[in-house]
Amino acid sequence: AEFQRDPLLDFTGKVALITGAASGFGALLAEALGRRGARLVLGDINEDGLHAVVDKLTAQDIEVQAVTCDVSSETDCAAMVALARENFGGLDIAVNNAGIAPPQVHFEEVDEETFDRQHSVNVKGVFFGMKHQLKLMRGQKHGIILNVSSMAGIGGAPKAAAYAGAKHSVVGLTRTAAVEYARHNVRVNAICPFFTLTPMVAGLTPPPGASVEQLHGLLSAGCPMKRLGEPEEVVNAMVMLCSPALTYVTGQTLAVDGGVSA
Ligand code: NAI
């Protein structure tokens, strides 16, 4: 295909690890990179969902290794990186995408369990992943990491305090690793999507008495484009940030938000 000759979008032979690959952005990104030639290491806590994605990719002759994992476990994160090293000989791209949705409650109603769970998956999951990915990439003297933050990682997010705290941490981890590992030829960026119609957003509960359509209307109202994002729109930006051609871009957070942050 034409895009396979374009160095901006050529992932031929690249090894790409993606967490949260059973659904939403992760599943679509796996297909997008795989179709452009990448060999994949996929992880998710949802075993059945992951198997369905693997079957779909294998049917397209995409090379894939998959592992059921919980990103809040350092052992599991290390195992994913080891899988890439042992089966594919290294790791070119790592996308720390797995995450859980915010419970829609006011700040003062956030209990400790909710706060801890948000940070366990959405922060520790990214931190442990990065820690082991960075170690391998430093040794290789090259690598690309993309972390999935959120609009809630660069601005306030009403009724999502614990999620916003966690997603801001993802930006802090991204910037710190970027400056610390730049000398090792490892680039680290983050993507910050606005509400996008993945299963995560489809699963948000509308306020009492409101329909799902009304909820989407409420969410879209704050967006200059007056609509939510489509998963493919976010995944296209993720592919760009994973591109081996973006050699001077590091430590950045890219908002994919229909102009919300403009
Ligand atoms: P999704 O719910 O469709 O996919 C998330 C995947 O992560 C699921 O397959 C789930 O099983 C997996 N996962 C959850 N906890 C895990 C764990 N402990 N270990 C391993 N895997 C785990 O949601 P979506 O929308 O694709 O979310 C992907 C990322 O995008 C998340 O980090 C989310 O916070 C972020 N995001 C999503 C936005 C949206 O509007 N959909 C907006 C901004 C950020």
Side-chain angles (χ1 to χ4, degrees):
E2 199 56 40
F3 54 67
Q4 279 173 325
R5 283 191 294 273
D6 183 338
L8 263 178
L9 297 171
D10 186 2
F11 292 89
T12 307
K14 301 289 181 199
V15 180
L17 178 160
I18 304 171
T19 67
S23 174
F25 298 147
L28 286 170
L29 181 66
E31 196 172 357
L33 295 182
R35 287 181 51 226
R36 289 169 173 82
R39 297 177 287 165
L40 305 170
V41 177
L42 307 182
D44 203 289
I45 202 165
N46 172 358
E47 188 170 10
D48 294 343
L50 190 59
H51 284 160
V53 169
V54 168
D55 288 347
K56 192 174 175 201
L57 297 172
T58 307
Q60 299 174 62
D61 290 326
I62 293 166
E63 250 188 285
V64 48
Q65 295 279 332
V67 59
T68 309
C69 68
D70 179 349
V71 292
S72 64
S73 148
E74 180 165 10
T75 312
D76 284 11
C77 290
M80 270 191 89
V81 173
L83 194 67
R85 196 187 54 231
E86 285 156 19
N87 285 275
F88 293 135
L91 181 62
D92 300 296
I93 298 156
V95 184
N96 296 302
N97 161 79
I100 52 171
Q104 306 277 101
V105 295
H106 290 295
F107 200 113
E108 57 199 77
E109 283 151 16
V110 178
D111 58 27
E112 185 175 4
E113 192 191 333
T114 301
F115 185 89
D116 286 349
R117 175 132 182 78
Q118 281 292 322
H119 284 76
S120 200
V121 178
N122 292 346
V123 183
K124 271 163 70 177
V126 173
F127 171 70
F128 288 146
M130 290 176 77
K131 188 176 155 183
H132 293 275
Q133 295 150 12
L134 286 165
K135 188 175 181 197
L136 178 59
M137 288 173 171
R138 178 170 54 75
Q140 300 174 159
K141 298 188 173 58
H142 79 270
I144 296 166
I145 294 177
L146 174 61
N147 295 324
V148 181
S149 176
S150 166
M151 282 305 292
I154 51 179
K159 292 177 79 180
Y163 182 81
K167 290 298 188 180
H168 273 72
S169 286
V170 171
V171 172
L173 295 171
T174 300
R175 290 181 173 145
T176 300
V179 294
E180 211 173 312
Y181 286 80
R183 75 195 62 188
H184 301 298
N185 192 28
V186 177
R187 298 187 292 103
V188 190
N189 293 295
I191 192 157
C192 297
F194 187 59
F195 289 104
T196 310
L197 289 166
T198 63
M200 181 182 280
V201 164
L204 291 179
T205 320
S211 66
V212 172
E213 290 69 31
Q214 284 169 319
L215 170 65
H216 292 172
L218 282 171
L219 299 176
S220 308
C223 173
M225 287 192 183
K226 297 295 171 212
R227 63 177 178 85
L228 306 186
E230 292 297 334
E232 291 74 13
E233 295 179 296
V234 172
V235 170
N236 287 344
M238 293 172 87
V239 170
M240 292 307 302
L241 286 172
C242 289
S243 169
L246 262 63
T247 46
Y248 205 47
V249 179
T250 197
Q252 298 306 300
T253 55
L254 179 66
V256 181
D257 66 354
V260 172
S261 60

